Amino acid sequence: MTRSAGAIDRRTMLAGTAVLAGVALTGTAPARAAAPALLPDADVHVLVVDGMRPDELVPGLTPHLVALADAGTRYSAARAIPVAETLPNHAAMMTGVLPHRNGVPANSVFDPMLGRTRDLDRPADLRAATVLDRLPRELGLTTASVLSKRYLHGLFGGRASVAWDPVPLLPVTEHAPDRFTIDALISVVDERSPRLTFTNLGDVDRVGHLDVLGASLRLARTAALRSTDEQVARFVEFLRATGRWERSVLMVLADHGMDWSAPDQLIGLVDVLGADPLLAGSVRTAQNGGANLLYWVGDPAARLEAVARMREVAAVVPGVAGLYAGADLGLGAAAGDLVALCDAGWRFSDPSPLSNPIPGNHGHAATVDIPFFVAGGHASLRRGSTVSDPLRTLDVAPTVAALFGLAEPPGGWDGRAAAHAFAG
């Protein structure tokens, strides 16, 4: 079917279809708020500029975003959680808990049931409840997800009351351009008036991966940043024109930054580990650009010795910055036995040098810093402030919960509410 730009086919509106652990998430009786709502009348819009770096929030590149940030509260020490990839940080934003609890430690993992590496792009991969499904179920509020990337849309499934099916998906990048994404967001808000929206804008990230100019001129990335900035401005203007601005709270952030590497700064661990007699044939990897997950698939009785040997062998490979047990990073069993992170200016490419040809990558320490600010037209927002306290992607869900009076999940939050952004 041919669709006009920005039109939303009602077949792509998945309303009232989400299911978690066999229990319907919509259509249930609203529950009372467990705590006083900080802003019970607010409409909250979480906008993720995928892959944006803090040094790109500057007037010459993103003037509209800068104006919003200047009129709200900036968080100058905001960070992604490890692994600094798209899926784990979006999962953290909506669940408020670490990967060992929500099941999403990286973009790609080794799946022992399949015997191969795969993306975590299935609804069942996200094991924790999200604010997208809890707000409808517990408070009777409508939520919406407008996610530009195929695997993000797949991971979040029918969690929200309304979920946009990203169209058109570009080949290779498998994402919908930001103009279509903002068109969809405007249409969803106009038609359904959700109290919470969760939007991923993928252009900056996808262009950053493919920009062969890398860390020099980055002309394509510059154009993408300016275009995305204009798209956010379009959404703000829509909110103003329709009388929604005065009740709006915008949480604008990135899920990770971006780093660039030269073709001769590739790290391959498969051959190095495979050359060791103890490890040969018994290690699998899940390459995530700036991170590489390592899995022992040999004799379980030899695991401790093998993991120690994996650490010893990989640690001396040029470009490897460090190796961590998944528990040290809060990642859980799905992340394997060791997580290798690379130095700035390097990238992993396994199982062969041709496996990761793109210069732009993330997942490692150089890509943890992110822009993050809270702005909007709601009268209770603080204006023109900068906060140096650390804030993480993990803190989005607790903030949303505090605004609406949603109770903590079982076991509590791993994040905390960004209370600095609100008066009183």
Side-chain angles (χ1 to χ4, degrees):
M1 173 184 289
T2 301
R3 302 174 186 173
S4 60
I8 299 180
D9 189 320
R10 293 188 180 276
R11 291 184 297 113
T12 70
M13 295 295 215
L14 308 178
T17 60
V19 175
L20 178 65
V23 180
L25 299 182
T26 57
T28 57
R32 294 180 61 188
L38 186 60
L39 299 181
D41 62 333
D43 294 339
V44 180
H45 304 289
V46 179
L47 300 174
V48 184
V49 183
D50 202 310
M52 185 178 179
R53 295 162 50 114
D55 58 5
E56 292 168 330
L57 186 63
V58 292
L61 283 177
T62 52
H64 299 293
L65 289 171
V66 168
L68 280 174
D70 287 347
T73 298
R74 288 183 186 237
Y75 290 89
S76 59
R79 296 168 69 84
I81 65 162
V83 170
E85 294 270 83
T86 294
L87 294 178
N89 277 280
H90 281 75
M93 289 177 206
M94 289 294 102
T95 65
V97 300
L98 289 164
H100 73 92
R101 296 174 63 188
N102 67 37
V104 186
N107 282 357
S108 298
V109 300
F110 175 75
D111 188 328
M113 299 298 293
L114 298 176
R116 61 174 176 82
T117 299
R118 71 170 180 89
D119 288 341
L120 289 172
D121 57 0
R122 305 170 182 175
D125 291 331
L126 183 54
R127 299 200 309 263
T130 72
V131 289
L132 289 169
D133 53 70
R134 289 189 60 203
L135 284 172
R137 183 172 75 247
E138 298 177 31
L139 300 182
L141 302 180
T142 299
T143 63
S145 61
V146 184
L147 303 171
S148 72
K149 293 183 174 180
R150 179 199 59 77
Y151 62 8
L152 266 175
H153 180 68
L155 179 68
F156 282 90
R159 295 279 181 155
S161 308
V162 181
W164 175 60
D165 186 1
V167 288
L169 279 179
L170 298 182
V172 181
T173 67
E174 294 191 315
H175 90 291
D178 288 356
R179 179 170 187 83
F180 291 90
T181 305
I182 290 295
D183 284 345
L185 176 60
I186 289 172
S187 295
V188 166
V189 172
D190 195 37
E191 293 181 14
R192 301 298 297 271
S193 296
R195 301 297 304 282
L196 170 68
T197 67
F198 182 41
T199 300
N200 169 272
L201 299 169
D203 282 0
V204 171
D205 174 73
R206 290 315 199 195
V207 169
H209 279 301
L210 299 175
D211 189 353
V212 296
L213 295 175
S216 55
L217 297 178
R218 301 208 305 265
L219 295 179
R221 185 172 174 90
T222 295
L225 283 159
R226 290 175 175 162
S227 175
T228 298
D229 183 69
E230 291 286 346
Q231 297 310 315
V232 173
R234 284 182 56 224
F235 180 59
V236 170
E237 286 306 309
F238 160 77
L239 295 176
R240 293 183 187 276
T242 57
R244 292 177 167 89
W245 180 246
E246 288 72 21
R247 64 178 187 265
S248 294
V249 173
L250 275 62
M251 300 179 67
V252 183
L253 71 162
D255 50 347
H256 53 74
M258 187 71 72
D259 185 35
W260 288 269
S261 57
D264 61 343
Q265 292 185 296
L266 304 179
I267 308 166
L269 296 182
V270 167
D271 291 343
V272 175
L273 297 173
D276 183 87
L278 173 62
L279 305 176
S282 297
V283 177
R284 301 292 182 269
T285 65
Q287 182 264 117
N288 281 265
N292 209 353
L293 313 186
L294 309 179
Y295 300 76
W296 172 251
V297 296
D299 183 357
R303 183 177 303 279
L304 288 178
E305 181 185 6
V307 171
R309 184 61 179 154
M310 288 159 60
R311 185 186 295 271
E312 180 182 357
V313 171
V316 297
V317 175
V320 173
L323 294 119
Y324 305 86
D328 295 338
L329 301 178
L331 300 184
D337 296 286
L338 282 178
V339 178
L341 300 180
C342 68
D343 284 316
W346 289 77
R347 69 181 185 269
F348 290 100
S349 187
D350 274 324
S352 78
L354 299 178
S355 299
N356 183 15
I358 57 179
N361 285 273
H362 45 84
H364 50 303
T367 63
V368 167
D369 293 338
I370 57 171
F372 195 149
F373 62 85
V374 180
H378 199 287
S380 295
L381 286 165
R382 294 191 187 277
R383 308 293 173 183
S385 63
T386 299
V387 177
S388 59
D389 289 354
L391 201 71
R392 296 180 291 173
T393 51
L394 200 62
D395 300 327
V396 171
T399 303
V400 170
L403 294 178
F404 292 114
L406 192 65
E408 292 190 6
W413 304 110
D414 291 325
R416 59 188 176 87
H420 328 75
F422 308 97

